Amino acid sequence: MCVTSPSKPASTKSNADLGKDIRLIDPASLSRDTNTSVSLLDVSQDGSQLVYGVRQGGADEEEIHFFNVKTRKSAEETLPSARYNSVDLAPDLTGVFYSRFSHQGSLLYFHKFGTRLSSDTLLFGREFRGEELGEMDLIGARVTDDGHYLVVTVNRGVPAKRVDVVFRDLRKPSTPFDILVWSFESRFSPMYANGEWYIRTDYKAPNGCILKATPGIAPEAWETIVPEGPDVIDSANIVGNKLFVHRLKDVQSSTAIYTLQGKPIGSVPYDGIGVASGLSGTVKDRYGFYSFQSYIHPPTIYRYDTTTGKQEVFAQPKTPFDSSEYELKQVFYKSKDGTRIPMFIAGKKGLKTDGSERLLMTGYGGFNLSETPDWNPLWAAWMAQGGWFAVPNLRGGGEYGEAWHKQGMFEKKQNVFDDFYAAAEYLIADKYTSAAHLAISGRSNGGLLMGAAMTQRPDLFGAIWCGYPLLDMLRYQKFEMGRLWTSEYGSAENEKDFPYIRKYSPYQNVKPGTAYPAIMFFTGDSDTRVDPMNARKMTPLMQASSTSGRPILLHYSLKSGHSAGVAAAQLVDDYADQLAFLWTETGTK
C-alpha cells in the first residue's frame, strides 16, 4: 500500500510534481504467510489517519487496523476478523463507525479508541421503528464530507431490491436517526452537499434518475434534477460542487456534468471503446480522479480539474503489453428469443477468421452487475498468446437497467444461459473459432453459468474453467452466504421456485454416458462465500459420467477464495494453470 506525498500545493501541481511514493504498510512485514494482504478502507479528511484491513488468503473476513501517517505506526488496538460491510472514521478521529455482518443480522457500532470492544456502542440494527432487521438486511454507514451526518443504508438482499436510508446529526449524537427514505421497493443511493440531499434511484425510473430529496416527504414529491433517459445511470458523484453522472451507452462509458440544479454544463471526454470509473472526490475538491481502461488498455488514472475541465494523466502502470498490436470491437447478435445482445471481441491484429483460432469467452449475467470492458492481465495473457477473447453482455446484468436485470432472474435465469450459447454460435458461425477451439471461463455466478453450459450444451465447447462455482442450486441457500442470494435466484425450499431451479441446476442435470468437454473446477478452503462443496462433489460426478476421455480436474487450494488476498506468486501460478489448461485443451483436434 502506498500514498503520494505532494511536494507543491495542489493548485500548481502537474503530473510531474507528484512527489515520491512512500510505502506505509508492507503485508510481508505482517506475516510469514505470503497470502496475507492489506486493503485500504478509509482515510481521514486531513490525511493523518487511515484504516486498513488484513486478510488471509481469499477469505471475505478481515481484521481491521488503524495507522498514523505522521508517526508511520499502526495502533495497537484492532477490530477482530469478521465480515465488515463498512468502516468509517469519526470526523474528530476519536473512534470509528463499523458495520459487521453475521447470519443473525448486520449491526452498526461505534468504537471509541482506547476502550474495550465490549463497551462499543450499538447504533443501529436488530430493529428500527418496530421492523425487525435480519440476515437479508445489510447495513452500511458513512460520514458525509463535512462530518455533520452519519448516513446509514439498509440493503435488502443481494442485489438489493429495496434500499432504505436514515441519518443522524453527529453534532447532536443523542438524537435518534431520521428517515430519508424507508419502505419503498426501489434502490436509493444518497449524496449530500451544502446542506442538501441528492439521490440516485431507480424509483419509477428503471434506467435511473437523480432526485433532490427532502426528509419527511415521499419520493414522488422530490424534485427531479436529472430525469431518466435511454441510457442507464451507473453512478453519480458530486465533486467541486458539480454533479457528474456516469452512464452506460451500449456498455460504454459516458459522463455528463450538471450543476446541482440539474443544468447540463458539459461532459468528460473519453478516447475509444472502454470503461471509466465514476469521478472520485469530495464536494469541495477542485480536482477529481477517474480511471479509464479496456480489455486491451491497462487502467490509466486521470486527474480532472472541475473548474477548467482540464484533465491529465495522474498514474499509469508499466505493463509488457503493447496495446497498438491489438484490436477491440463491439458486435450485436440475436439470442434464442430474438433479444439483441452486445458482445466485445478482442485479439491481436491480423488474427484469422477461418475457424482455426482459439477463442476464450467469459460471462456473468446476474446480480445487476454490468460486464464492462475492464482490463485483466489474465485475458491479456491469453490474447498475447495469440487467441481471440470475447465477452457477451448477458441478461441478468445491469447494462441496460433494471429491466435487463429482471430478464435474467428467478424463473427467467435460462435467458442468461441462452444468451451465452447464442454468443458461442455467433462466434462459430462468423469463423472466429470452432467448438473444438472454444474455451469458456467463469467464476461464482459465472461458475453457475459454466455449470449450465457443460450440462446443457457440452457439444458447444472444447474446454471449461469453472471457478468458485454455484452448482447444486437445490441446496446453495443452506451454505455460507447463499441465503442472501435467494433475492436473485429464489429458493428450492419454495414450492413455486423448485421446478425452474431443478430444471437448470447443474449438479442435478449431469447425464451419465455423455461426452463432456475438458473441465477444470477451481476452488479452495478460503472461499467463505460460495461453499467449496459445490466443486468438490461435482468433480467426481462429472468424472464418473463423462465418456469423452477428456480430463476433468479439481484445482484445489487451501488459500484460494472469492476475495482478493492470494499472494502474487500463487496468483501467477493459478493463472498459468488456468490458461495452460484452456490453451492445451483447445488445440488441434
Side-chain angles (χ1 to χ4, degrees):
M1 179 186 297
C2 298
V3 296
T4 298
S5 178
S7 56
K8 295 183 180 181
S11 60
T12 61
K13 194 192 328 177
S14 71
N15 60 347
D17 301 319
L18 298 178
K20 294 182 178 180
D21 288 342
I22 301 170
R23 177 171 292 181
L24 297 179
I25 301 160
D26 184 356
S29 67
L30 302 177
S31 172
R32 292 182 180 181
D33 186 349
T34 57
N35 283 293
T36 299
S37 66
V38 297
S39 58
L40 182 61
L41 300 177
D42 192 27
V43 181
S44 64
Q45 288 283 353
D46 63 2
S48 66
Q49 307 286 328
L50 63 84
V51 184
Y52 66 97
V54 178
R55 176 179 284 116
Q56 304 300 324
D60 285 353
E61 294 81 2
E62 58 185 336
E63 189 177 73
I64 307 301
H65 294 250
F66 308 95
F67 187 85
N68 188 308
V69 177
K70 294 179 181 178
T71 64
R72 304 284 196 269
K73 292 182 179 180
S74 293
E76 291 186 2
E77 61 186 310
T78 63
L79 300 182
S81 181
R83 280 187 173 91
Y84 290 91
N85 299 332
S86 63
V87 183
D88 231 36
L89 287 165
D92 59 5
L93 303 182
T94 60
V96 62
F97 301 100
Y98 67 90
S99 175
R100 187 171 61 209
F101 171 85
S102 79
H103 289 288
Q104 290 69 50
S106 300
L107 298 175
L108 174 65
Y109 290 93
F110 175 71
H111 171 69
K112 185 177 181 179
F113 294 139
T115 65
R116 293 185 177 185
L117 293 174
S118 59
S119 64
D120 289 358
T121 304
L122 176 62
L123 300 179
F124 194 90
R126 295 184 180 143
E127 68 86 27
F128 182 71
R129 298 193 176 182
E131 181 177 345
E132 287 190 12
L133 302 174
E135 181 183 14
M136 298 287 289
D137 307 312
L138 303 181
I139 297 169
R142 65 175 182 83
V143 177
T144 56
D145 290 347
D146 59 9
H148 290 174
Y149 294 99
L150 178 67
V151 184
V152 176
T153 54
V154 184
N155 288 264
R156 311 300 184 116
V158 180
K161 295 184 292 184
R162 164 186 164 187
V163 179
D164 298 314
V165 184
V166 300
F167 62 96
R168 170 180 283 176
D169 192 335
L170 292 176
R171 297 163 295 182
K172 305 172 184 177
S174 61
T175 59
F177 282 95
D178 289 316
I179 291 177
L180 187 58
V181 62
W182 192 272
S183 75
F184 289 85
E185 289 292 318
S186 298
R187 303 178 181 96
F188 297 87
S189 179
M191 298 171 281
Y192 182 79
N194 307 320
E196 304 285 354
W197 296 97
Y198 299 85
I199 297 280
R200 175 173 63 89
T201 181
D202 60 1
Y203 178 71
K204 296 186 177 180
N207 285 347
C209 64
I210 310 294
L211 306 177
K212 187 175 181 181
T214 302
I217 298 177
E220 56 261 28
W222 292 349
E223 178 186 355
T224 298
I225 301 298
V226 178
E228 181 185 22
D231 301 320
V232 63
I233 295 179
D234 188 54
S235 65
N237 304 80
I238 298 174
V239 183
N241 280 304
K242 294 182 174 67
L243 178 61
F244 292 80
V245 178
H246 186 67
R247 294 182 174 90
L248 291 180
K249 184 177 180 60
D250 286 332
V251 208
Q252 298 185 45
S253 292
S254 67
T255 301
I257 310 172
Y258 300 84
T259 67
L260 295 183
Q261 293 72 44
K263 178 183 177 182
I265 53 175
S267 62
V268 179
Y270 303 124
D271 185 17
I273 295 176
V275 59
S277 66
L279 195 71
S280 176
T282 69
V283 173
K284 300 297 183 182
D285 284 342
R286 174 175 175 176
Y287 296 98
F289 297 85
Y290 72 89
S291 67
F292 188 80
Q293 59 188 299
S294 78
Y295 294 126
I296 63 172
H297 289 281
T300 298
I301 299 175
Y302 294 86
R303 185 175 73 162
Y304 182 86
D305 189 331
T306 63
T307 300
T308 66
K310 179 183 177 181
Q311 53 187 337
E312 58 182 343
V313 173
F314 181 80
Q316 194 169 27
K318 295 180 180 179
T319 60
F321 186 89
D322 186 353
S323 298
S324 66
E325 297 180 0
Y326 299 82
E327 61 178 335
L328 171 61
K329 57 186 174 182
Q330 187 181 45
V331 300
F332 293 85
Y333 66 92
K334 293 290 183 66
S335 188
K336 180 179 179 179
D337 63 358
T339 300
R340 182 174 180 262
I341 312 292
M343 177 165 57
F344 293 103
I345 304 174
K348 278 187 175 180
K349 294 176 180 177
L351 271 180
K352 292 179 290 184
T353 52
D354 61 0
S356 65
E357 302 285 13
R358 293 174 175 86
L359 185 146
L360 173 58
M361 181 170 69
T362 187
Y364 191 78
F367 291 90
N368 200 36
L369 296 176
S370 301
E371 283 289 277
T372 53
D374 299 304
W375 166 264
N376 188 321
L378 183 63
W379 314 141
W382 175 272
M383 288 185 282
Q385 189 72 16
W388 286 107
F389 175 68
V391 182
N393 294 103
L394 314 173
R395 281 175 284 183
E399 290 88 346
Y400 292 102
E402 182 58 17
W404 192 256
H405 174 215
K406 287 180 176 178
Q407 283 296 307
M409 296 173 64
F410 299 125
E411 74 281 0
K412 296 181 180 179
K413 186 66 178 177
Q414 186 62 41
N415 285 336
V416 180
F417 311 143
D418 291 340
D419 292 352
F420 194 68
Y421 308 149
E425 290 165 344
Y426 173 95
L427 293 166
I428 292 170
D430 277 33
K431 297 188 179 302
Y432 285 95
T433 191
S434 63
H437 299 310
L438 177 53
I440 58 174
S441 173
R443 53 178 287 160
S444 191
N445 175 70
L448 168 59
L449 174 63
M450 297 301 104
M454 68 180 72
T455 53
Q456 293 183 7
R457 292 297 307 272
D459 60 302
L460 202 51
F461 311 105
I464 301 174
W465 184 88
C466 183
Y468 310 105
L470 285 157
L471 297 169
D472 184 351
M473 294 302 291
L474 295 187
R475 299 178 180 86
Y476 81 94
Q477 72 280 357
K478 297 178 179 292
F479 300 92
E480 297 294 352
M481 304 297 286
R483 183 68 61 183
L484 275 67
W485 310 325
T486 57
S487 59
E488 176 81 5
Y489 301 125
S491 171
E493 296 171 10
N494 299 326
E495 184 177 358
K496 67 179 180 62
D497 298 341
F498 181 90
Y500 70 77
I501 295 176
R502 173 62 179 82
K503 190 174 182 179
Y504 75 73
S505 179
Y507 184 76
Q508 281 76 28
N509 283 283
V510 177
K511 295 179 176 61
T514 301
Y516 288 109
I519 302 168
M520 177 183 282
F521 295 101
F522 193 104
T523 188
D525 279 355
S526 288
D527 193 347
T528 56
R529 195 179 310 179
V530 173
D531 197 299
M533 68 89 182
N534 285 272
R536 286 201 300 257
K537 70 180 188 178
M538 186 74 164
T539 303
L541 179 61
M542 291 295 293
Q543 289 171 338
S545 302
S546 181
T547 59
S548 67
R550 306 291 300 283
I552 296 177
L553 310 175
L554 174 61
H555 189 303
Y556 202 86
S557 168
L558 295 178
K559 295 296 184 180
S560 291
H562 249 78
S563 294
V566 176
Q570 181 180 326
L571 197 61
V572 170
D573 288 345
D574 291 345
Y575 280 178
D577 289 346
Q578 177 180 350
L579 292 181
F581 175 80
L582 294 174
W583 190 267
T584 300
E585 294 300 325
T586 51
T588 302
K589 297 290 187 287

